Amino acid sequence: MNQNNIWPKNRICNLFNITHPIIQAGMVWVSGGKLAAAAANTGCLGLIGAGSMQPDVLKQHIIKAKQLTNHSLGVNIPLLYDKTQSQIEVALSAGIKIFFTSAGSPKTWTPILKKEGCIVVHVVSNPELALKCQNAGVDAVVVEGFEAGGHNGRDELTTFVLLQQMRKILNIPVIAAGGIGTGEAILACFALGAEGVQIGTAFAATEESSAHNNFKTAMCQAKFNSTFLRMKKLVPVRLLENEFSKKIALAEDECADKEKLAHLLGKGRAKEGMLNGNLAEGELEVGQIVSEINEILNCNKLVSKIISEYLEAKNKLFLN
Ligand SMILES: Cc1cc2nc3c(=O)[nH]c(=O)nc-3n(C[C@H](O)[C@H](O)[C@H](O)COP(=O)(O)O)c2cc1C
């Protein structure tokens, strides 16, 4: 089938010059240049997750990705850290024109990036922040439900509810995120007004992801009740259950405060879990959809599978 006939005409494909309205999410320790380029080569938008990278490392990943693909690439920059400004400068000087920002205020960097001729998308977890983003001049928003892996909003809104809230208030395009791992789910998001989807967990488990093999195998073995939202008092994050997350749960049952949680978390736990493969004591960020992942595919196979599911679901709807 002609690739252009698969999807409804939509603003997300036009905005990023991509074939499929699918964004491979920016993810700390997982989405380096190799994954972003592989996703871009399938016709999706590939994002380098800058959150875990010092600026010089980010530059290396951008250079590597550009060697591996001529297709659209962007970076995800959580606006949380001291290194934000240097990361943005490095990405701009390496020719990146697509910025997905998350956490922090959309007002701080959006006008600066727009002046540089960039496309800016901010990640939101509630309608209030979505409106602030629209007012700040972003090109689109990612609306991320609390099914998602990684850091979450505090409001515990699901992807389905968020999409229905967004329809009433936004005129910029919406990218749905959180709990999307199949083509059927994409069809459902489109029915609720999304024009694109951002997929994290399913790409984290691909061959090209830089997640440790132990972590990928653990994702394939995860069940429906393997993830929990933890550390709401500090920074809410959805994690695969392990020894570390059980310790956090216990502390939370005993009403641990922010300081106690920060102490238990310590430093370097996300790297230890996701990159070094310490399944017991590392922080393993995954979304609820991990229950549906049972094999490690390459990006090409993952995207082809999702597109076949999408087309089959769409055809079924039209037949009945
Ligand atoms: C391992 C992992 C790391 C993540 N790191 C980031 C990050 O650095 N910045 C960010 O904005 N979102 C991050 N996220 C969230 C993703 O960008 C994405 O929105 C989310 O994974 C979508 O939900 P899903 O996991 O259900 O597909 C991360 C998610 C995972 C699974």
Side-chain angles (χ1 to χ4, degrees), residues 25-30 49-52 76-78 81 100-103 123 142 144-145 147-151 177-181 198-202 204 215 274 284-290:
M27 293 175 280
V28 283
W29 301 114
V30 165
S52 47
N76 167 270
I77 303 196
Y81 310 110
F100 277 51
T101 52
S102 53
V123 182
V142 172
E144 192 193 64
E147 301 93 324
H151 290 157
I180 300 159
Q198 172 166 286
I199 297 181
T201 300
F215 181 30
M274 297 191 281
L284 304 171
E285 301 182 10
V286 292
Q288 290 181 338
I289 196 66
V290 74

Side-chain angles (χ1 to χ4, degrees), residues 4-23:
N4 296 325
N5 296 336
I6 300 176
W7 308 102
K9 283 216 176 327
N10 77 72
R11 292 179 287 176
I12 290 301
C13 286
N14 290 341
L15 190 61
F16 303 121
N17 191 22
I18 50 179
T19 310
H20 308 306
I22 300 173
I23 321 296

Side-chain angles (χ1 to χ4, degrees), residues 69-255:
T69 187
N70 293 321
H71 296 281
S72 296
L73 286 170
V75 293
N76 167 270
I77 303 196
L79 306 177
L80 277 175
Y81 310 110
D82 299 343
K83 58 191 178 194
T84 297
Q85 177 158 355
S86 330
Q87 287 177 327
I88 289 179
E89 282 166 8
V90 155
L92 284 171
S93 68
I96 292 290
K97 288 284 183 195
I98 299 173
F99 285 80
F100 277 51
T101 52
S102 53
S105 166
K107 283 194 216 150
T108 322
W109 285 100
T110 304
I112 298 167
L113 290 168
K114 292 305 297 174
K115 257 196 209 139
E116 295 287 335
C118 298
I119 297 167
V120 185
V121 179
H122 196 78
V123 182
V124 304
S125 54
N126 69 48
E128 226 170 66
L129 183 55
L131 266 181
K132 280 190 189 152
C133 288
Q134 181 164 272
N135 294 337
V138 304
D139 296 278
V141 285
V142 172
V143 304
E144 192 193 64
F146 99 127
E147 301 93 324
H151 290 157
N152 266 226
R154 292 179 188 282
D155 306 302
E156 302 196 0
L157 295 169
T158 61
T159 306
F160 257 39
V161 168
L162 277 167
L163 287 174
Q164 291 166 85
Q165 292 167 340
M166 297 302 152
R167 294 193 97 159
K168 297 196 199 120
I169 57 169
L170 295 184
N171 43 48
I172 53 174
V174 166
I175 299 165
I180 300 159
T182 62
E184 291 94 330
I186 299 182
L187 188 63
C189 291
F190 282 4
L192 291 173
E195 293 179 59
V197 296
Q198 172 166 286
I199 297 181
T201 300
F203 275 109
T206 58
E207 277 174 18
E208 295 90 342
S209 128
S210 40
H212 193 282
N213 258 337
N214 292 351
F215 181 30
K216 291 183 193 175
T217 307
M219 285 193 251
C220 295
Q221 290 165 352
K223 301 198 172 67
F224 67 93
N225 56 358
S226 297
T227 82
F228 293 93
L229 191 73
R230 301 282 188 226
M231 292 188 282
K232 226 179 141 179
K233 283 187 196 154
L234 187 62
V235 189
V237 58
R238 182 169 294 284
L239 297 174
L240 197 64
E241 184 84 318
N242 65 359
E243 299 312 312
F244 162 66
S245 79
K246 281 182 193 157
K247 274 182 214 158
I248 294 286
L250 203 62
E252 289 183 321
D253 285 348
E254 291 164 357
C255 299

